[in-house]
Amino acid sequence: MAARLILGIESSCDETSAAVVRVDGETLHVLSCNTASQDELHAEYRGVVPEIASRAHLASIIPVIRSACAEAHVSLSGIHGVAAGHRPGLIGSLLVGVSSAKSLAWGLDVPFVGVDHVLAHLVACLLDQPPVVWPAIGLVASGGHTSLFRMNTPLDVTLIGATIDDAAGEAFDKGAALLGIGYPGGARLDAIAQTGDGMALPLPITRLQSLDFSFSGVKTALALAAKHPDCAGRTSDLAASFRRVIVAQIIRNLGRALDAHPSATVLVGGGVAANRLLRTEAAALTTTRGVALRIAEPRWCTDNAAMIAGAGALRIARGERDGWDLTAQPLSAVARGRRGPQKRTT
Ligand code: KG4
Ligand code: ZN
């Protein structure tokens, strides 16, 4: 089948993003990705305000799509399909991207597909990369999810572990708030941790018997340590120690997932995959185990439309399309969010 150009739209939380991806067999080539961040709008609230997010998406969506097409040197008439992240996320935010994608696809008379955002974080590992050897273990560590998957292909995944409380990114953000580092916290805490001693504080590494994760205990341990007089003025040591134990838990479970499900490749995506220590430790683990590591490029770790276009492109290349009645949904169908287990719907 000839190469196709897919337009992807991401608006699940606080980034309005559009991208054009060319799919050619299994290869996903990113031609453009344009993202409008809302960080400044939410900073004073130290978290995303849904109503503000929806309105900002509405203001940015068309300019972002126009820029993505211009950057890719394609006109809308050259687009063969449109994909939008339709779950999980903030409903008002998702509605902006899904409605825009449907309208475009209908007007252009091309297929429309909805994409599960958690799955798209795994597809981010495939962008502009050679084909993966399957099966694989997939890890998505983001602000809303920390989930392990057994993957037969990018679209055929089974959940084998998930957080039972906070997501890793959420823990990093809350840890950053505790340390007064600012918003958004994960990337800032990572930068400050680079200058600290990760062994300075004996924070506990959570070890569950299953492949699930828990980050609330270490958050409490950090809160207690931060109040201790010995820790006064040692923000970088606190940040480095906190980062060390979060990453240690993730790497431990990745290793145990490989024990339970021998695989050729490990895929790591989501905002937390940008974490410098996690990248180093994932590389060390996979080298020791003799498996390939596909960790999303830093620019494709945090929310972006290239991963949505990529996941949509793989579906469209299989001849799939969704109905015009597809709705936005708050929860993932493949992962478990904060609100407990999800029944798989597709
Ligand atoms: O994937 P993402 O952009 O959004 C969700 O789908 O949730 O992930 C955002 C999360 C935030 O919690 C952010 O603090 C975290 O990823 N994050 C990081 C780093 N960069 C972003 N966490 C740790 N280290 C980083 N370098
Ligand atoms: Zn995300």
Side-chain angles (χ1 to χ4, degrees):
M1 189 182 286
R4 290 167 176 223
L5 299 183
I6 307 300
L7 173 69
I9 297 176
E10 155 63 28
S11 69
S12 66
C13 191
D14 59 345
E15 318 278 358
T16 320
S17 184
V20 179
V21 162
R22 191 178 66 225
V23 57
D24 194 356
E26 283 178 56
T27 310
L28 298 169
H29 181 50
V30 183
L31 300 186
S32 68
C33 184
N34 199 275
T35 303
S37 168
Q38 301 177 9
D39 279 353
E40 277 179 23
L41 294 176
H42 302 288
E44 70 172 290
Y45 306 99
R46 288 199 288 156
V48 177
V49 182
E51 185 66 27
I52 294 176
S54 318
R55 292 177 194 205
H57 285 306
L58 209 45
S60 303
I61 191 84
I62 297 294
V64 157
I65 293 171
R66 289 183 73 159
S67 302
C69 289
E71 205 183 302
H73 303 292
V74 283
S75 60
L76 281 176
S77 58
I79 296 292
H80 301 107
V82 186
H86 75 114
R87 68 183 174 211
L90 303 170
I91 283 296
S93 291
L94 288 168
L95 286 177
V96 176
V98 171
S99 306
S100 306
K102 277 189 190 180
S103 309
L104 275 170
W106 187 51
L108 295 169
D109 195 21
V110 297
F112 158 74
V113 289
V115 166
D116 194 295
H117 180 96
V118 178
L119 212 59
H121 271 305
L122 294 170
V123 172
C125 306
L126 313 178
L127 299 174
D128 288 315
Q129 298 294 327
V132 161
V133 182
W134 306 98
I137 295 294
L139 166 75
V140 176
S142 67
H145 295 82
T146 303
S147 303
L148 276 169
F149 299 93
R150 165 81 168 162
M151 304 177 71
N152 289 322
T153 70
L155 301 177
D156 174 10
V157 308
T158 308
L159 186 71
I160 55 173
T163 183
I164 59 170
D165 41 51
D166 290 350
E170 188 181 3
F172 273 118
D173 292 337
K174 289 177 177 171
L178 274 169
L179 297 178
I181 289 171
Y183 172 90
R188 290 182 193 212
L189 191 147
D190 187 23
I192 290 171
Q194 289 293 103
T195 62
D197 174 5
M199 300 305 284
L201 293 147
L203 297 178
I205 297 172
T206 307
R207 292 183 174 87
L208 300 184
Q209 278 188 345
S210 64
L211 290 174
D212 288 341
F213 302 87
S214 168
F215 297 103
S216 59
V218 63
K219 193 179 61 189
T220 307
L222 177 73
L224 292 173
K227 283 189 195 139
H228 198 280
D230 288 353
C231 293
R234 295 177 64 193
T235 305
S236 56
D237 284 348
L238 284 161
S241 302
F242 186 63
R243 182 178 70 164
R244 175 181 60 82
V245 293
I246 289 182
V247 169
Q249 186 184 163
I250 294 173
I251 294 296
R252 173 178 179 266
N253 272 9
L254 254 186
R256 294 168 68 239
L258 283 170
D259 292 340
H261 307 275
S263 302
T265 309
V266 166
L267 273 61
V268 184
V272 179
N275 187 274
R276 281 167 262 206
L277 184 64
L278 180 60
R279 297 182 82 82
T280 314
E281 295 290 322
L285 173 81
T286 47
T287 303
T288 309
R289 299 298 186 97
V291 299
L293 174 65
R294 291 294 177 82
I295 188 159
E297 271 181 49
R299 64 187 165 144
W300 307 136
C301 288
T302 43
D303 290 346
N304 65 84
M307 65 184 195
I308 300 287
L314 293 175
R315 288 196 58 201
I316 290 171
R318 290 204 314 201
E320 294 178 21
R321 63 193 294 165
D322 284 317
W324 300 117
D325 57 351
L326 189 85
T327 58
Q329 292 167 5
L331 300 179
S332 169
V334 296
R336 281 202 306 263
R338 277 178 215 108
R339 283 186 267 173
Q342 268 300 284
K343 225 173 96 187
R344 199 173 166 148
T345 54
T346 56

